[in-house]
PDB file of all heavy atoms in Angstrom:
ATOM      1  N   CYS A 178      11.560 -31.100   0.835  1.00  0.00           N
ATOM      2  CA  CYS A 178      11.305 -29.670   0.991  1.00  0.00           C
ATOM      3  C   CYS A 178      10.547 -29.467   2.303  1.00  0.00           C
ATOM      4  O   CYS A 178       9.975 -30.405   2.847  1.00  0.00           O
ATOM      5  CB  CYS A 178      10.457 -29.119  -0.158  1.00  0.00           C
ATOM      6  SG  CYS A 178      11.293 -28.954  -1.748  1.00  0.00           S
ATOM      7  N   THR A 179      10.548 -28.249   2.774  1.00  0.00           N
ATOM      8  CA  THR A 179       9.742 -27.910   3.941  1.00  0.00           C
ATOM      9  C   THR A 179       8.555 -27.068   3.508  1.00  0.00           C
ATOM     10  O   THR A 179       8.535 -26.504   2.416  1.00  0.00           O
ATOM     11  CB  THR A 179      10.569 -27.156   4.999  1.00  0.00           C
ATOM     12  OG1 THR A 179      11.194 -26.015   4.378  1.00  0.00           O
ATOM     13  CG2 THR A 179      11.637 -28.060   5.592  1.00  0.00           C
ATOM     14  N   VAL A 180       7.555 -27.002   4.393  1.00  0.00           N
ATOM     15  CA  VAL A 180       6.327 -26.246   4.149  1.00  0.00           C
ATOM     16  C   VAL A 180       6.146 -25.263   5.298  1.00  0.00           C
ATOM     17  O   VAL A 180       6.388 -25.613   6.461  1.00  0.00           O
ATOM     18  CB  VAL A 180       5.115 -27.204   4.060  1.00  0.00           C
ATOM     19  CG1 VAL A 180       3.824 -26.425   3.870  1.00  0.00           C
ATOM     20  CG2 VAL A 180       5.291 -28.203   2.937  1.00  0.00           C
ATOM     21  N   HIS A 181       5.701 -24.055   4.986  1.00  0.00           N
ATOM     22  CA  HIS A 181       5.629 -23.015   6.019  1.00  0.00           C
ATOM     23  C   HIS A 181       4.295 -22.282   5.956  1.00  0.00           C
ATOM     24  O   HIS A 181       3.878 -21.821   4.886  1.00  0.00           O
ATOM     25  CB  HIS A 181       6.790 -22.038   5.853  1.00  0.00           C
ATOM     26  CG  HIS A 181       8.130 -22.712   5.911  1.00  0.00           C
ATOM     27  ND1 HIS A 181       8.835 -22.886   7.076  1.00  0.00           N
ATOM     28  CD2 HIS A 181       8.862 -23.313   4.934  1.00  0.00           C
ATOM     29  CE1 HIS A 181       9.958 -23.549   6.819  1.00  0.00           C
ATOM     30  NE2 HIS A 181       9.989 -23.815   5.533  1.00  0.00           N
ATOM     31  N   PHE A 182       3.649 -22.170   7.137  1.00  0.00           N
ATOM     32  CA  PHE A 182       2.364 -21.492   7.249  1.00  0.00           C
ATOM     33  C   PHE A 182       2.437 -20.223   8.085  1.00  0.00           C
ATOM     34  O   PHE A 182       1.478 -19.464   8.117  1.00  0.00           O
ATOM     35  CB  PHE A 182       1.323 -22.439   7.855  1.00  0.00           C
ATOM     36  CG  PHE A 182       1.014 -23.628   6.993  1.00  0.00           C
ATOM     37  CD1 PHE A 182       1.578 -24.871   7.279  1.00  0.00           C
ATOM     38  CD2 PHE A 182       0.187 -23.518   5.892  1.00  0.00           C
ATOM     39  CE1 PHE A 182       1.300 -25.975   6.486  1.00  0.00           C
ATOM     40  CE2 PHE A 182      -0.093 -24.614   5.094  1.00  0.00           C
ATOM     41  CZ  PHE A 182       0.468 -25.848   5.381  1.00  0.00           C
ATOM     42  N   GLU A 183       3.531 -19.997   8.791  1.00  0.00           N
ATOM     43  CA  GLU A 183       3.738 -18.761   9.559  1.00  0.00           C
ATOM     44  C   GLU A 183       4.523 -17.784   8.700  1.00  0.00           C
ATOM     45  O   GLU A 183       5.673 -18.038   8.358  1.00  0.00           O
ATOM     46  CB  GLU A 183       4.465 -19.048  10.872  1.00  0.00           C
ATOM     47  CG  GLU A 183       4.829 -17.810  11.690  1.00  0.00           C
ATOM     48  CD  GLU A 183       3.612 -17.061  12.217  1.00  0.00           C
ATOM     49  OE1 GLU A 183       2.587 -17.704  12.540  1.00  0.00           O
ATOM     50  OE2 GLU A 183       3.685 -15.822  12.329  1.00  0.00           O
ATOM     51  N   LYS A 184       3.888 -16.679   8.339  1.00  0.00           N
ATOM     52  CA  LYS A 184       4.470 -15.680   7.444  1.00  0.00           C
ATOM     53  C   LYS A 184       5.069 -16.341   6.195  1.00  0.00           C
ATOM     54  O   LYS A 184       6.248 -16.156   5.875  1.00  0.00           O
ATOM     55  CB  LYS A 184       5.524 -14.846   8.164  1.00  0.00           C
ATOM     56  CG  LYS A 184       4.952 -13.996   9.294  1.00  0.00           C
ATOM     57  CD  LYS A 184       6.018 -13.146   9.968  1.00  0.00           C
ATOM     58  CE  LYS A 184       5.404 -12.283  11.079  1.00  0.00           C
ATOM     59  NZ  LYS A 184       6.434 -11.482  11.790  1.00  0.00           N
ATOM     60  N   PRO A 185       4.282 -17.134   5.470  1.00  0.00           N
ATOM     61  CA  PRO A 185       4.786 -17.753   4.241  1.00  0.00           C
ATOM     62  C   PRO A 185       5.234 -16.670   3.266  1.00  0.00           C
ATOM     63  O   PRO A 185       4.523 -15.679   3.049  1.00  0.00           O
ATOM     64  CB  PRO A 185       3.588 -18.550   3.720  1.00  0.00           C
ATOM     65  CG  PRO A 185       2.403 -17.965   4.403  1.00  0.00           C
ATOM     66  CD  PRO A 185       2.863 -17.439   5.709  1.00  0.00           C
ATOM     67  N   SER A 186       6.403 -16.851   2.671  1.00  0.00           N
ATOM     68  CA  SER A 186       7.025 -15.743   1.948  1.00  0.00           C
ATOM     69  C   SER A 186       7.677 -16.201   0.655  1.00  0.00           C
ATOM     70  O   SER A 186       7.851 -17.391   0.394  1.00  0.00           O
ATOM     71  CB  SER A 186       8.073 -15.071   2.849  1.00  0.00           C
ATOM     72  OG  SER A 186       9.096 -15.991   3.195  1.00  0.00           O
ATOM     73  N   CYS A 187       8.033 -15.211  -0.136  1.00  0.00           N
ATOM     74  CA  CYS A 187       8.840 -15.413  -1.336  1.00  0.00           C
ATOM     75  C   CYS A 187       9.961 -14.380  -1.319  1.00  0.00           C
ATOM     76  O   CYS A 187       9.980 -13.478  -0.474  1.00  0.00           O
ATOM     77  CB  CYS A 187       7.988 -15.286  -2.608  1.00  0.00           C
ATOM     78  SG  CYS A 187       7.254 -13.656  -2.853  1.00  0.00           S
ATOM     79  N   THR A 188      10.906 -14.510  -2.232  1.00  0.00           N
ATOM     80  CA  THR A 188      12.034 -13.585  -2.276  1.00  0.00           C
ATOM     81  C   THR A 188      11.720 -12.439  -3.228  1.00  0.00           C
ATOM     82  O   THR A 188      11.334 -12.650  -4.373  1.00  0.00           O
ATOM     83  CB  THR A 188      13.320 -14.297  -2.722  1.00  0.00           C
ATOM     84  OG1 THR A 188      13.071 -15.020  -3.940  1.00  0.00           O
ATOM     85  CG2 THR A 188      13.785 -15.283  -1.658  1.00  0.00           C
ATOM     86  N   MET A 189      11.886 -11.218  -2.745  1.00  0.00           N
ATOM     87  CA  MET A 189      11.599 -10.029  -3.550  1.00  0.00           C
ATOM     88  C   MET A 189      12.733  -9.021  -3.472  1.00  0.00           C
ATOM     89  O   MET A 189      13.549  -9.041  -2.547  1.00  0.00           O
ATOM     90  CB  MET A 189      10.314  -9.348  -3.067  1.00  0.00           C
ATOM     91  CG  MET A 189       9.031 -10.031  -3.446  1.00  0.00           C
ATOM     92  SD  MET A 189       7.595  -8.959  -3.125  1.00  0.00           S
ATOM     93  CE  MET A 189       6.269 -10.030  -3.668  1.00  0.00           C
ATOM     94  N   GLN A 190      12.748  -8.149  -4.478  1.00  0.00           N
ATOM     95  CA  GLN A 190      13.589  -6.950  -4.471  1.00  0.00           C
ATOM     96  C   GLN A 190      12.683  -5.730  -4.571  1.00  0.00           C
ATOM     97  O   GLN A 190      11.649  -5.755  -5.257  1.00  0.00           O
ATOM     98  CB  GLN A 190      14.570  -6.947  -5.644  1.00  0.00           C
ATOM     99  CG  GLN A 190      15.735  -7.903  -5.494  1.00  0.00           C
ATOM    100  CD  GLN A 190      16.663  -7.853  -6.697  1.00  0.00           C
ATOM    101  OE1 GLN A 190      16.224  -7.611  -7.816  1.00  0.00           O
ATOM    102  NE2 GLN A 190      17.941  -8.078  -6.475  1.00  0.00           N
TER     103      GLN A 190
END
Side-chain angles (χ1 to χ4, degrees):
C178 287
T179 54
V180 177
H181 303 270
F182 295 101
E183 175 66 34
K184 295 182 179 178
S186 61
C187 63
T188 51
M189 285 192 180
Q190 286 180 328

